[in-house]
Amino acid sequence: MTKYEKALSNLDHFCSKHSIEYAIIGGIAVIMYGYQRTTNDIDATILVNL
């Protein structure tokens, strides 16, 4: 498991455990759609009800 896969797994586990809706955005999301791109981080956004 790569460091990105581990980080995404940890994020998913935490958000699922606490019922937090989230989305992966940025370079990782672009890669998941099949485009080639270099990135060194994971960007995420969470839903906050105000």
Side-chain angles (χ1 to χ4, degrees):
M1 181 177 289
T2 69
K3 64 181 180 180
Y4 294 110
E5 291 169 330
K6 181 68 174 165
L8 287 169
S9 176
N10 289 342
L11 174 66
D12 181 61
H13 176 71
F14 178 85
C15 289
S16 295
K17 180 179 176 181
H18 297 284
S19 300
I20 299 170
E21 294 184 55
Y22 73 97
I24 303 301
I25 59 175
I28 294 293
V30 170
I31 292 167
M32 295 303 294
Y33 277 97
Y35 295 93
Q36 292 184 2
R37 178 176 171 182
T38 302
T39 187
N40 289 319
D41 65 353
I42 297 172
D43 302 304
T45 187
I46 60 171
L47 175 65
V48 177
N49 293 315
L50 300 176

